Amino acid sequence: MLIGSNSGPQKIFQKSLFTMSSYDLRLKDLDQVLESEVIDLSKLREFCFNGIPDVKGYRSLCWRLLLNYLPCDRNKWDEQLDHHRKLYQQWLDEILVTPGSFDNEECDHPLSEDPNSKWNTFFKDNQALTQIDKDVRRLHPELSFFQQATDYPLSNVVYSSGTKRLNRRVGMHFLNSANVVRKGLGIVKITPKAEQTSTSEFKPLEEGSEAHWEVVERILFVYCKLNPGQGYVQGMNEIIGPIYYCFATDPIIKMKEHAEADCFFVFTNLMSEIRDFFIKTLDETDTGIVNMMRKVTERLKENDPVVQSYLVKNEIYPQYYSFRWLTLLLSQEFSLPEVLRIWDSLFSDSQRFSFLIDICCAMIVLIRDQILAGDFSTIVKLLQNYPNVETRVILNKAAELSVKNRDEESSGI
Amino acid sequence: MAKKTYDLLFKLLLIGDSGVGKTCILFRFSDDAFTTTFISTIGIDFKIKTVELQGKKIKLQIWDTAGQERFHTITTSYYRGAMGIMLVYDITNEKSFENIVKWLRNINEHANEDVEKMILGNKCDMDDKRVVSKSRGEGIAREHNISFLETSAKANINIEKAFTDLTLSILNKTPGREPTDVPEKINIDRKSDRLSNRCC
Ligand SMILES: Nc1nc2c(ncn2[C@@H]2O[C@H](COP(=O)(O)OP(=O)(O)OP(=O)(O)O)[C@@H](O)[C@H]2O)c(=O)[nH]1
Ligand SMILES: [Mg+2]
């Protein structure tokens, strides 16, 4: 059920104990799957579930496929990519304008009370930007990657004397006289005053270059503008981070140079599946986070009732740990390379995100002895700072649980 | 349950807008360090520190909450069990100061009536970027009869004092309270706790 009917995940994981030559064989397998004119998605899932090789840009290509950005029909790839990259560019052109830069806007001005005033929207957007900015500056600070310059900066942004950098707009929530100069008759121009409230190392780069975190900031802002009902919620930075990292480090240059646009679409597709985790009013619905936490508890109860009741007895509620695990697809619990590996399996799950539940359950079961020996604070600490357990071990355990779960379901238990 | 190595257990809570420095304050206090390598808090985080005051060993169980509105259903459920609450704003951020009133309202709605409160104006090392004067901070604290400190997690100003002061004010009104009076688990406010999905 999870991946093709004749091969359970358990079998696949056993296959992963490969030697060097079988590694080459594996690459050949993957090439074969990817080379066919119309890619067999279930074969691809079956392969990727076991981990995508960290070479030749396989991961970035497979994620594009698994998250339905690229169609299975290879003949359609060029057109699809071209179309979407142009579309993204068009959105950027529309979204990244500062009011006042149009000539025909003389009746619009920063003090306008017209709700359709571009200025009004501008100031409102800046509030969302403020939150995005705080979060992208706190994205994987343990890596230097996000603070480094991208090879593909957006030229009209980086050669604007700073005026088009989104982080310049942070803090400009309302009209601040110092920000606005009048140019001649009625035409108002905004000159953003750099307001740097963060002390972090995440500094915007010099004229002509921009850091990866600035690119991520722009993608999130575009997403936020195009999904006004939802807006930006903290944690989305942790979802986009690994995708962007994967695309922006692609060894295939002709993919890497489009990391920004492609990341936008893949992130959007992924968000469409997990959006409900981020919306407070949907907490209690079927697809909301409360129900997901309940599923983890239930799965744990089926597999390790002793630990589950010990947690209940000690009043260790799921919102102390599985809330974050689930909302962020575990991206804050493990290091980035481990997250990439875990996401290979998550994205290969045709019943997303059933395998995520299995992983969460496995994580608890694997440290059951420590849990059972602990009191309230040690357990909460343990679950909030998950100990060093090898990803392979966790995934194997999760696969084992998912097989068991599936067998029990089919035999009607 | 493990053997008790403390005389009293106090539960403290940190609240305030996103980015004001709650996690940094807690980290400075618990690990005596400041790094810029912080990630945003999603949901609720937890640290323990044992302090010795007036000859008593006091275990502080400190909950660090996420600032953004999305997480309020989760975080407000912890107010009830808290004995002390620190409200944090950022002296370089006007909005975070204005929102102190909103956070106070939340406390009134969800916390115990006798909870000890304290307002912290954080990032006071950044005087050149200051937009909220110290007297405005003192003003709002006086108005609500709450103690007030300006702090810096980065420069380690008043962090220790903030926690000590808050702990002392809890200690001083709980004479002779034995640890057994205080279950170690935090009491979640059942009414408002829509997320406490206790299974079966
Ligand atoms: N200059 C200065 N910067 C600080 C201080 N405290 C925190 N910061 C900076 O402010 C940023 C946000 O701090 P956090 O502690 O993550 O903020 P928070 O209140 O926990 O935010 P949420 O988790 O989103 O609710 C960090 O990047 C720190 O570098 C301080 O005392 N001085
Ligand atoms: Mg925090």
Side-chain angles (χ1 to χ4, degrees), chain A residues 138 199 234, chain B residues 18-19 21-24 41 67 122-123 125 153-154:
Chain A
R138 289 183 288 180
T199 50
Q234 274 189 293
Chain B
S18 171
K22 299 178 295 295
T23 303
C24 290
T41 309
N122 191 41
K123 306 197 188 178
D125 57 285
K154 187 179 184 187

Side-chain angles (χ1 to χ4, degrees), chain A residues 138, chain B residues 23 39-41 64-65:
Chain A
R138 289 183 288 180
Chain B
T23 303
I39 49 182
S40 26
T41 309
D64 172 22
T65 61

Side-chain angles (χ1 to χ4, degrees), chain B residues 4-191:
Chain B
K4 293 221 162 56
T5 51
Y6 54 89
D7 306 313
L8 293 163
L9 175 80
F10 290 172
K11 294 155 200 166
L12 310 181
L13 191 70
L14 281 157
I15 60 176
D17 280 10
S18 171
V20 297
K22 299 178 295 295
T23 303
C24 290
I25 289 175
L26 182 51
F27 191 67
R28 165 63 77 186
F29 177 64
S30 66
D31 297 58
D32 193 26
F34 179 84
T35 67
T36 43
T37 62
F38 276 106
I39 49 182
S40 26
T41 309
I42 303 299
I44 186 148
D45 255 321
F46 171 88
K47 281 215 186 281
I48 292 276
K49 175 150 173 159
T50 306
V51 295
E52 210 165 325
L53 282 176
Q54 301 180 347
K56 288 213 162 59
K57 270 210 165 107
I58 304 168
K59 181 168 170 177
L60 299 177
Q61 190 186 82
I62 312 163
W63 295 85
D64 172 22
T65 61
Q68 211 190 7
E69 171 73 24
R70 192 268 169 265
F71 306 104
H72 285 185
T73 25
I74 297 200
T75 52
T76 50
S77 55
Y78 297 85
Y79 286 34
R80 182 73 66 202
M83 298 151 87
I85 297 184
M86 282 181 175
L87 284 111
V88 188
Y89 71 90
D90 170 355
I91 65 146
T92 69
N93 181 329
E94 173 73 29
K95 188 93 190 152
S96 74
F97 178 71
E98 286 165 13
N99 279 340
I100 285 289
V101 183
K102 199 190 78 194
W103 290 108
L104 280 167
R105 248 199 324 268
N106 269 339
I107 295 181
N108 286 340
E109 262 172 54
H110 300 283
N112 284 333
E113 220 167 292
D114 64 343
V115 66
E116 287 297 324
K117 284 163 279 191
M118 175 169 242
I119 295 180
L120 302 183
N122 191 41
K123 306 197 188 178
C124 73
D125 57 285
M126 291 209 282
D127 219 27
D128 52 326
K129 303 259 167 60
R130 177 193 287 275
V131 294
V132 183
S133 71
K134 190 169 178 185
S135 58
R136 284 173 72 201
E138 287 164 343
I140 194 164
R142 204 175 318 115
E143 195 183 308
H144 292 91
N145 203 12
I146 303 174
S147 55
F148 169 79
L149 281 175
E150 280 200 345
T151 57
S152 165
K154 187 179 184 187
N156 198 8
I157 301 169
N158 279 339
I159 300 293
E160 182 88 26
K161 181 168 166 47
F163 283 95
T164 310
D165 285 4
L166 187 64
T167 308
L168 276 175
S169 54
I170 301 170
L171 184 65
N172 289 337
K173 68 174 187 196
T174 52
R177 212 190 217 187
E178 289 307 310
T180 41
D181 293 347
V182 193
E184 194 182 1
K185 302 146 216 163
I186 198 155
N187 277 322
I188 296 196
D189 175 9
R190 308 274 171 215
K191 283 193 306 276

Side-chain angles (χ1 to χ4, degrees), chain A residues 249-358:
Chain A
T249 55
D250 196 325
I252 313 281
I253 300 297
K254 75 180 196 342
M255 293 304 255
K256 180 177 165 178
E257 60 189 2
H258 297 289
E260 178 175 349
D262 289 2
C263 174
F264 170 82
F265 290 103
V266 170
F267 169 72
T268 302
N269 288 358
L270 177 57
M271 279 309 298
S272 74
E273 296 183 39
I274 58 172
R275 185 171 41 207
D276 295 358
F277 301 173
F278 288 87
I279 304 178
K280 202 166 82 172
T281 49
L282 297 181
D283 276 351
E284 303 284 338
T285 62
D286 261 8
T287 47
I289 195 72
V290 173
N291 199 37
M292 286 296 280
M293 294 193 291
R294 191 174 298 129
K295 282 185 185 164
V296 174
T297 307
E298 275 163 17
R299 185 100 16 123
L300 182 64
K301 197 175 176 201
E302 289 155 19
N303 290 292
D304 196 337
V306 178
V307 168
Q308 195 267 337
S309 63
Y310 191 78
L311 291 177
V312 171
K313 197 181 100 208
N314 281 279
E315 301 190 14
I316 316 273
Y317 301 109
Q319 58 267 44
Y320 298 155
Y321 56 97
S322 62
F323 176 82
R324 189 175 72 200
W325 293 1
L326 295 162
T327 306
L328 304 183
L329 307 180
L330 297 165
S331 65
Q332 269 189 2
E333 317 308 318
F334 299 96
S335 71
L336 193 60
E338 292 171 306
V339 171
L340 300 180
R341 170 63 195 89
I342 292 171
W343 284 16
D344 290 343
S345 295
L346 290 185
F347 297 163
S348 307
D349 177 1
S350 63
Q351 303 192 313
R352 287 195 284 258
F353 283 89
S354 158
F355 193 61
L356 175 61
I357 310 272
D358 293 319

